[in-house]
Amino acid sequence: VRGRWLFQVGVRVGYYTIEPSHDPTFLDHQAGEGLELNPASDYDNLAVSPSLAIQYELTDSTTLWTRYARGIRNPDLEDYVGYFDHLGMFQQIPNPNLKEETSDSYELGLKHAGDDLTVEVTGFFSSYEGFFEQRIVLQEGRTLYQTQNAGAVDIYGVEVGLEYLLRGLSQRLDGFSVGLKLNLSEGENKTDGGGVNSVDPWTGVAHIAYSDPGGRWGMRLTGTFRSRKDDPSTLYLESGLFIPPSSHVLDLSGYWRIRENLSLDFGVRNVTNQRYWIWPNADSVDHDFLENPELSVQPGANFYVALNLKL
């Protein structure tokens, strides 16, 4: 139907370069650690990334859309030529052989925005070649970390978001709302087998909230569930690194609009004082006979207050 279709086409052109200076002091420091590393050559890459998005309005409140995008990711300076020594416990070593990471990403989504109910569902699939992943390299009895091109990797999943204004049930509930967000994703290393460490385990976030119809004040209770990472990479499992258990956390937040240009935000995080970790910082805890997982545990019950002034 005329007027209900929307087509968007894009092309991104990028040029990226790294030109190492090969400082003698830096190279000598590496040699002092006994690492057989050669100076890195200059890196440069001219990349073209096309994209296409199509949207169709099924009704005035419901939209179906799809999107394709070609992605290019170049190695950063730290991974390409950087070196870091963590008090002799492990070294982060460079990889001057890194190549670009490429991806083809596909998305399909449906969004409904009604008077009382908003629902959005998005499915995604991304196929990577030369995927960047930090790996453990054992050399002469030492633990070395290095970013490498992991080969072919697929990442896929679904995201679901829902919010419902309870006035749809009764006008007595005007101002109350409930919501739910789910993020489920999986990663598969098609070259080496096993999972992908950079993919978070699935999470669910639910809330119940009240906002004064006049906009003067409001409160929100949010519950977050984080599942256990069941599919780390094979090397991660073999290295005995810490895998956080699943967790559930409650947060309470609120606001008070004192004046037109003055408001107060406040809240209590981790209301029930749960002991929990999040996956992205789990690998900062080394083998459990060297490090204590308590070093990366998240804060217990804590609060905040913020006064906002608009000038």
Side-chain angles (χ1 to χ4, degrees):
V1 179
R2 176 177 291 184
R4 292 189 178 274
W5 288 95
L6 176 64
F7 296 87
Q8 293 178 310
V9 179
V11 177
R12 179 181 179 182
V13 179
Y15 178 74
Y16 182 86
T17 181
I18 299 176
E19 299 178 353
S21 61
H22 304 138
D23 182 88
T25 303
F26 177 73
L27 296 177
D28 288 344
H29 177 70
Q30 292 183 1
E33 295 292 335
L35 302 175
E36 299 296 330
L37 297 175
N38 297 318
S41 59
D42 291 353
Y43 176 95
D44 62 88
N45 185 31
L46 176 64
V48 179
S49 305
S51 63
L52 171 64
I54 303 174
Q55 176 180 299
Y56 178 68
E57 294 184 5
L58 297 172
T59 66
D60 291 341
S61 58
T62 305
T63 302
L64 179 67
W65 58 272
T66 186
R67 179 176 179 268
Y68 163 78
R70 173 75 169 175
I72 304 292
R73 182 183 176 193
N74 293 291
D76 60 29
L77 186 63
E78 180 179 353
D79 291 334
Y80 194 68
V81 294
Y83 174 80
F84 174 69
D85 185 353
H86 184 62
L87 302 178
M89 296 179 63
F90 68 86
Q91 286 83 41
Q92 174 79 38
I93 63 174
N95 185 356
N97 297 315
L98 280 173
K99 307 298 182 184
E100 68 176 10
E101 171 191 290
T102 63
S103 64
D104 293 290
S105 299
Y106 307 86
E107 294 181 88
L108 179 63
L110 179 68
K111 182 175 181 178
H112 171 79
D115 293 335
D116 301 318
L117 176 65
T118 300
V119 179
E120 187 165 5
V121 181
T122 304
F124 59 90
F125 175 85
S126 296
S127 179
Y128 295 83
E129 292 290 338
F131 188 79
F132 290 164
E133 187 168 60
Q134 189 177 83
R135 294 184 168 183
I136 298 172
V137 181
L138 300 179
Q139 180 176 321
E140 299 180 359
R142 293 176 303 175
T143 300
L144 307 177
Y145 288 87
Q146 184 183 58
T147 299
Q148 299 180 359
N149 292 110
V153 168
D154 288 344
I155 296 176
Y156 48 89
V158 63
E159 296 178 352
V160 179
L162 177 151
E163 185 164 19
Y164 182 62
L165 305 181
L166 297 184
R167 68 188 182 189
L169 298 176
S170 170
Q171 283 300 317
R172 294 181 179 181
L173 298 176
D174 188 21
F176 286 93
S177 64
V178 293
L180 177 66
K181 291 184 178 180
L182 296 175
N183 188 325
L184 300 93
S185 55
E186 297 284 345
E188 179 185 357
N189 189 324
K190 301 176 68 176
T191 301
D192 300 335
V196 179
N197 294 334
S198 59
V199 176
D200 287 354
W202 77 270
T203 59
V205 181
H207 78 263
I208 181 169
Y210 176 78
S211 185
D212 170 35
R216 291 291 304 276
W217 66 279
M219 298 289 295
R220 177 183 292 250
L221 180 65
T222 303
T224 302
F225 175 80
R226 297 178 176 89
S227 66
R228 183 180 185 274
K229 177 73 171 177
D230 291 327
D231 61 343
S233 68
T234 302
L235 185 57
Y236 193 99
L237 293 172
E238 292 175 348
S239 300
L241 294 174
F242 177 67
I243 301 177
S246 61
S247 64
H248 55 277
V249 178
L250 288 177
D251 298 315
L252 181 66
S253 62
Y255 72 90
W256 174 32
R257 183 172 295 174
I258 304 170
R259 295 179 181 276
E260 183 68 24
N261 61 342
L262 184 65
S263 63
L264 186 70
D265 293 335
F266 54 90
V268 180
R269 302 185 185 97
N270 195 1
V271 174
T272 57
N273 197 33
Q274 295 295 308
R275 181 172 170 267
Y276 74 102
W277 294 260
I278 58 176
W279 173 252
N281 73 344
D283 60 1
S284 65
V285 179
D286 209 292
H287 302 73
D288 50 15
F289 59 85
L290 294 176
E291 295 274 357
N292 184 350
E294 293 296 328
L295 296 177
S296 67
V297 72
Q298 296 298 297
N302 63 95
F303 70 92
Y304 68 92
V305 177
L307 187 66
N308 305 304
L309 176 62
K310 293 182 179 180
L311 300 177

